[in-house]
Amino acid sequence: RATTTASPEIEQAIVSDDGRFLLVRWSDNAVDVWDIETHRKLGEFQSEETFQDIVWTDDGSTLLLAEVYLVRAIDVESGNELFRFQHGSSEFITQVKWSPNERYIATASWDKTVRIWSAKTGEEFRVLRHRDDVESLRWHPNGSMLLSGSRDGTARVWNVDTGQEVFTIRDDEIDYGTWGEWDSSGTRLFLVLSNVVQVYDTRISELISQACSRVGRNMSQADWRLYFPDQPYRQTCPSLPPYDGRSLD
């Protein structure tokens, strides 16, 4: 069995998804990576700052080490740093996530943004904005949509390729303890609040159908701007009359 001897205490141990590697995080901000089968230590990485998040790729070949502002991508076998990037300089990174297709890396921060990076080069690709600290991230199984939860009371689903919000969930209970999970088909979203789990059918056609049946009318301009702020207004309930209320324009 692979063992480590050091005076600092072990704070976290993470096995890669493919079961080949073990990561050990120490209280002195050091990280060791071990080959489980050979008991060989592959690398040791030290940080002057606290590691905010640590994630593997699905095949265990690459490791992301998120420090306070900095993210480093490490090749596990060689221990070499592939690239690094910095998410701002004033507020902490809260989470980092690989996309399922490993095209993108997403980082969330207390600077009220989600930033999307190239998983090959570490170059910034897109910035998505909230109105308060962003605490949680979860990729859709298709790798093109991303859920972000913020202390601004919203959980937003983004089309990463376009940068547009697909839809927004608003609830006063959404805060730093909120996180979400998609089912394997990507059609249902489970949103975990403080003491309840909410389930959403995230197919756009289903969302529109439910809204039409419950409200009994087309959305007003105000409704549309609240839930689809980045998309042009259109009537969403063909079988119902146009909304005849006062427009915001």
Side-chain angles (χ1 to χ4, degrees):
R1 187 174 80 171
T3 59
T4 58
T5 58
S7 54
E9 296 181 352
I10 294 175
E11 291 194 339
Q12 188 178 22
I14 310 172
V15 177
S16 62
D17 289 344
D18 63 358
R20 292 190 298 154
F21 305 116
L22 172 68
L23 178 145
V24 178
R25 181 165 68 92
W26 298 91
S27 57
D28 64 350
N29 297 329
V31 167
D32 297 340
V33 178
W34 297 80
D35 185 304
I36 293 175
E37 184 175 350
T38 66
H39 303 177
R40 181 170 62 96
K41 184 158 81 168
L42 300 175
E44 178 178 338
F45 310 100
Q46 186 73 42
S47 173
E48 296 181 0
E49 308 285 354
T50 301
F51 287 108
Q52 301 295 106
D53 202 5
I54 300 172
V55 293
W56 301 91
T57 51
D58 288 342
D59 63 4
S61 65
T62 310
L63 188 64
L64 288 179
L65 303 176
E67 301 170 33
V68 175
Y69 313 122
L70 183 70
V71 176
R72 291 186 283 163
I74 306 295
D75 179 84
V76 173
E77 292 279 7
S78 68
N80 294 330
E81 182 176 303
L82 302 175
F83 57 80
R84 63 172 58 194
F85 57 81
Q86 186 164 319
H87 184 138
S89 59
S90 60
E91 300 292 347
F92 287 6
I93 293 171
T94 54
Q95 275 200 341
V96 57
K97 296 289 183 185
W98 293 100
S99 64
N101 53 21
E102 296 183 4
R103 289 179 58 201
Y104 301 123
I105 298 166
T107 55
S109 170
W110 285 352
D111 70 356
K112 306 178 186 179
T113 70
V114 176
R115 296 177 190 258
I116 310 299
W117 312 81
S118 165
K120 290 184 178 180
T121 65
E123 294 181 358
E124 186 177 290
F125 171 70
R126 195 172 300 285
V127 180
L128 310 172
R129 301 186 183 279
H130 276 266
R131 293 184 176 87
D132 208 333
D133 303 344
V134 185
E135 297 286 352
S136 62
L137 297 171
R138 190 69 66 187
W139 283 97
H140 187 276
N142 67 12
S144 65
M145 291 196 298
L146 179 70
L147 170 74
S148 58
S150 168
R151 291 191 185 188
D152 63 9
T154 67
R156 301 172 191 254
V157 175
W158 308 86
N159 181 317
V160 173
D161 293 326
T162 66
Q164 291 187 327
E165 286 184 40
V166 180
F167 62 88
T168 301
I169 300 168
R170 299 177 187 274
D171 194 303
D172 291 339
E173 294 295 320
I174 296 175
D175 57 17
Y176 66 90
T178 299
W179 58 275
E181 188 66 76
W182 305 89
D183 68 1
S184 59
S185 68
T187 59
R188 288 187 297 177
L189 173 64
F190 300 85
L191 193 65
V192 181
L193 305 181
S194 56
N195 59 0
V196 67
V197 178
Q198 297 179 351
V199 183
Y200 297 87
D201 190 319
T202 58
R203 292 170 294 184
I204 296 298
S205 59
E206 184 63 24
L207 290 171
I208 291 173
S209 176
Q210 290 180 16
C212 292
S213 64
R214 291 179 183 179
V215 179
R217 61 169 174 80
N218 276 280
M219 286 187 174
S220 67
Q221 293 278 352
D223 295 333
W224 189 270
R225 289 178 179 175
L226 179 63
Y227 294 105
F228 303 102
D230 296 322
Q231 299 187 32
Y233 177 81
R234 64 179 184 273
Q235 291 187 22
T236 52
C237 309
S239 62
L240 298 176
Y243 178 70
D244 57 4
R246 182 168 170 237
S247 170
L248 293 181
D249 292 335

